[in-house]
Amino acid sequence: MSTNRTDDRREMLRVSGAAVVAAGLMSTSLLQPKEAGAARAKAPHWVMIMDLRRCMGCRACTVACKAEYDVPLGAFKTVVKQVVTGKYPDTRRTTIPRRCNHCEGTEKVGKMTVPPCVKVCPEYPKDRRVFITPEGKKIRYRGGATYKRPDGLILLDNDSCTGCGKCIDACPYGARTFNKRKAAGKDKSKHAIVKCTSCVHRLDEGVTPACVNTCAAGARIFGDLNDPDSEVARLAREFKLLENRDKTTMKPEAKTMPNIFYIDPDGVLADYSFDEKDKLAEYRDIVE
Amino acid sequence: MRNSNSGIAGLYGLLANIFATEVSPELLAQLRSADFRELFTELKIDLGEDFYSGDAAEIVDQLAVEFAGLFLGPGHFISPHESVHHVRDDGDYGTLWGADTVAVKKFIEATGLSYKPEFGGMPDHIAVELEFIQKLEERYAQAVDDGEMELADNLMKIKKRFFTEHLLAWAPEFLTKVAERATLPFYREMAVLLQLLLEQENRIITESTEECAPV
Ligand code: SF4
Ligand code: SF4
């Protein structure tokens, strides 16, 4: 082995690395073997869980969403609302993050079960599309101005949208609104629709939505419910989120079967009062 | 390069640990042990006398403040993520969650590893990249011991690709900044140590590629 001084130090690294191991150092652990699991041919079932114990109302999610999409002034895709419970002096304020529920729906269009916003869209169903599962299985479905992908996402295709606004009226949650800065694809005299897409462009690249990524408190947990090892599946089991939909989802009486669940051990969701007169106010983030 | 060298995995592991999070009291105790002191002296890593003789709790605090200032911000903040530093031809760099964040995540997951659910950081953090190479080196050493030469060769190919396409493409520049902005000897010297390791690894990889080049 050649030995001049600089090389000495360099060659040392390889040799003395052994000493590091010998010192029995606890190493960091950020990675783990992927669970083998049976290959799933099914499409993912994306859900988001809002852990109300953790949300601190900082609105980093609202800002991250605005930045990700350049959401126009006056419109929001995700907001943080609040509910005040108890009687003076024993009161409490809970912050409640909201976004489009990407509802499962209960009504049928063809073979697809869809939520009211999709059902009502005159531009659905239109073109034929193919969804490819992570295991490579092809699932056929129909596109439209508002449509449902086999992984449960409720998406928009502005090119086929006439801007009629029926979906805005149909959504019981006020999750949709007009984008006053963009024209509808099929009728330029009307406005386009804006609502949460669950950051589909990020999901398709394998990364989590912007709001989830930014939430420092870890109040937004996102994942595939079809994967029994996922964090969301674990939480769904622990808090019986699926069994108790009437307590773990927003406005269960609307029968839309939301895919956003809330961990709400104190039952504050029941005290959330919807603005029935102006439901669009639901998606305006006004810090009270 | 068929010598089994699990030692190098240890070095990657140590550095992953140091860049992942603040130095814990336990890690500090280990780093101050005679073994490590000897090792650092051999490597000409000078952590300063204070590091060895100062009050442990105080040093842990100082290092935590320095870590936060360097890698968490605010302070002399230098984002420890590849997509911020790795200059790409397509211009998609300089931001968090860029094209390389996705590329690193996909690369790592394609090898059958996944991020722990409790890891709240971004997929292209320097500590992740170091731990990934640590894991590849460990598996390589095991494959060599078991005489699974084909697997060992494949693992080295994966390591070389990840090393040249990712770690080496951004870490040296990042580490230069760390060395410049660190106010305590510890992070400055650790940045130098990692730079040295990368240089050496690069040299070995380039040489072995030349050897293997088809004539
Ligand atoms: S929340 Fe409204 S817009 Fe979203 S899927 Fe349900 S009905 Fe449609
Ligand atoms: S506004 Fe567009 S998306 Fe909504 S119902 Fe009309 S066509 Fe469908």
Side-chain angles (χ1 to χ4, degrees):
Chain A
M1 197 182 284
S2 70
T3 47
N4 70 47
R5 286 310 294 166
T6 36
D7 263 3
D8 241 14
R9 172 153 140 163
R10 290 187 178 148
E11 293 304 338
M12 276 319 291
L13 286 176
R14 228 155 226 282
V15 186
S16 52
V20 177
V21 178
L25 188 80
M26 275 267 296
S27 63
T28 171
S29 182
L30 314 171
L31 302 169
Q32 66 182 17
K34 215 186 276 175
E35 311 280 343
R40 284 168 297 115
K42 267 201 206 161
H45 176 178
W46 300 121
V47 300
M48 193 181 280
I49 298 177
M50 310 286 193
D51 191 341
L52 297 186
R53 299 169 306 173
R54 292 186 180 176
C55 176
M56 52 184 172
C58 69
R59 288 162 169 89
C61 47
T62 308
V63 176
C65 173
K66 278 259 184 189
E68 184 78 20
Y69 284 98
D70 203 7
V71 179
L73 273 179
F76 292 91
K77 293 188 183 194
T78 185
V79 289
V80 179
K81 306 301 277 188
Q82 61 180 349
V83 52
V84 178
T85 44
K87 273 211 178 98
Y88 177 83
D90 190 16
T91 55
R92 237 182 85 193
R93 180 189 292 220
T94 309
T95 46
I96 302 186
R98 303 198 54 190
R99 52 164 227 171
C100 165
N101 288 294
H102 293 270
C103 307
E104 205 58 51
T106 43
E107 294 178 272
K108 287 261 182 201
V109 173
K111 276 195 207 132
M112 198 67 121
T113 312
V114 297
C117 56
V118 176
K119 170 90 182 162
V120 82
C121 178
E123 302 298 321
Y124 176 85
K126 294 283 167 187
D127 55 316
R128 289 169 201 282
R129 300 185 180 202
V130 178
F131 179 85
I132 300 174
T133 69
E135 286 75 23
K137 194 178 162 233
K138 291 182 179 160
I139 300 178
R140 283 166 216 292
Y141 70 106
R142 300 289 285 267
T146 276
Y147 62 99
K148 182 180 182 179
R149 233 171 53 157
D151 57 355
L153 298 187
I154 308 299
L155 300 174
L156 297 165
D157 177 0
N158 189 48
D159 287 346
S160 10
C161 179
T162 60
C164 67
K166 286 186 176 160
C167 55
I168 299 181
D169 295 340
C171 170
Y173 301 91
R176 292 167 177 257
T177 185
F178 282 121
N179 181 346
K180 301 261 168 65
R181 293 175 178 228
K182 192 170 165 191
K186 274 198 174 169
D187 182 347
K188 301 280 186 259
S189 69
K190 302 269 178 53
H191 294 302
I193 303 293
V194 51
K195 86 158 187 85
C196 160
T197 66
S198 207
C199 278
V200 62
H201 59 295
R202 293 171 62 102
L203 281 186
D204 287 348
E205 291 291 345
V207 293
T208 50
C211 57
V212 176
N213 167 53
T214 207
C215 180
R220 291 177 177 241
I221 304 118
F222 186 84
D224 175 10
L225 202 57
N226 278 343
D227 172 3
D229 301 316
S230 67
E231 181 74 356
V232 286
R234 194 183 61 70
L235 288 169
R237 285 192 296 270
E238 185 179 341
F239 291 94
K240 301 212 174 353
L241 298 178
L242 294 173
E243 295 84 335
N244 294 321
R245 276 177 177 272
D246 54 333
K247 294 207 179 68
T248 60
T249 60
M250 275 265 165
K251 243 191 185 181
E253 66 279 12
K255 304 226 178 325
T256 56
M257 304 277 282
N259 274 317
I260 308 278
F261 295 89
Y262 291 85
I263 294 179
D264 174 25
D266 301 331
V268 295
L269 225 46
D271 292 315
Y272 185 93
S273 55
F274 282 86
D275 191 336
E276 296 296 352
K277 275 203 228 75
D278 179 11
K279 69 177 179 184
L280 294 189
E282 292 287 330
Y283 278 75
R284 251 168 255 152
D285 203 333
I286 300 153
V287 182
E288 290 149 85
Chain B
M1 23 181 313
R2 235 178 223 178
N3 57 323
S4 144
N5 46 55
S6 50
I8 210 74
L11 200 48
Y12 276 109
L14 167 68
L15 288 160
N17 210 344
I18 283 168
F19 285 99
T21 179
E22 296 89 344
V23 173
S24 64
E26 297 74 39
L27 180 59
L28 180 70
Q30 282 179 317
L31 292 174
R32 299 216 290 187
S33 69
D35 279 358
F36 268 99
R37 189 163 187 171
E38 200 179 305
L39 167 67
F40 288 145
T41 315
E42 276 173 36
L43 295 173
K44 302 193 178 59
I45 295 293
D46 181 11
L47 300 177
E49 197 41 46
D50 276 2
F51 183 82
Y52 295 103
S53 54
D55 176 60
E58 233 167 72
I59 293 179
V60 166
D61 266 5
Q62 285 169 357
L63 290 179
V65 170
E66 173 97 325
F67 182 90
L70 285 172
F71 307 123
L72 303 175
H76 312 281
F77 178 61
I78 312 154
S79 176
H81 300 97
E82 175 169 338
S83 68
V84 174
H85 301 274
H86 183 173
V87 177
R88 289 167 58 102
D89 293 342
D90 62 5
D92 191 350
Y93 66 92
T95 53
L96 292 172
W97 280 106
D100 274 312
T101 313
V102 174
V104 167
K105 184 168 191 281
K106 284 190 170 165
F107 195 120
I108 290 177
E109 287 178 344
T111 63
L113 288 168
S114 68
Y115 292 80
K116 291 209 165 162
E118 54 276 23
F119 169 61
M122 289 178 211
D124 57 343
H125 193 282
I126 180 91
V128 169
E129 298 200 359
L130 293 172
E131 189 186 323
F132 179 53
I133 297 198
Q134 175 200 7
K135 290 212 151 50
L136 289 173
E137 284 284 0
E138 279 170 358
R139 192 68 192 80
Y140 169 78
Q142 194 193 326
V144 171
D145 285 350
D146 299 349
E148 295 177 272
M149 283 329 200
E150 203 177 318
L151 175 63
D153 279 347
N154 277 334
L155 285 161
M156 260 318 112
K157 279 191 197 125
I158 294 173
K159 178 194 156 176
K160 278 185 205 167
R161 238 192 86 194
F162 189 80
F163 186 84
T164 37
E165 285 178 19
H166 292 288
L167 195 55
L168 192 66
W170 71 284
E173 191 202 332
F174 160 73
L175 295 166
T176 305
K177 289 184 189 158
V178 174
E180 274 168 16
R181 293 193 210 165
T183 58
L184 299 173
F186 183 76
Y187 286 104
R188 188 178 61 233
E189 291 289 293
M190 288 302 131
V192 171
L193 176 61
L194 178 50
Q195 248 169 345
L196 218 60
L197 172 66
L198 296 181
E199 263 172 46
Q200 176 195 286
E201 290 277 272
N202 186 30
R203 206 154 41 86
I204 293 172
I205 284 176
T206 326
E207 279 165 15
S208 76
T209 320
E210 277 163 15
E211 271 167 34
C212 307
V215 195

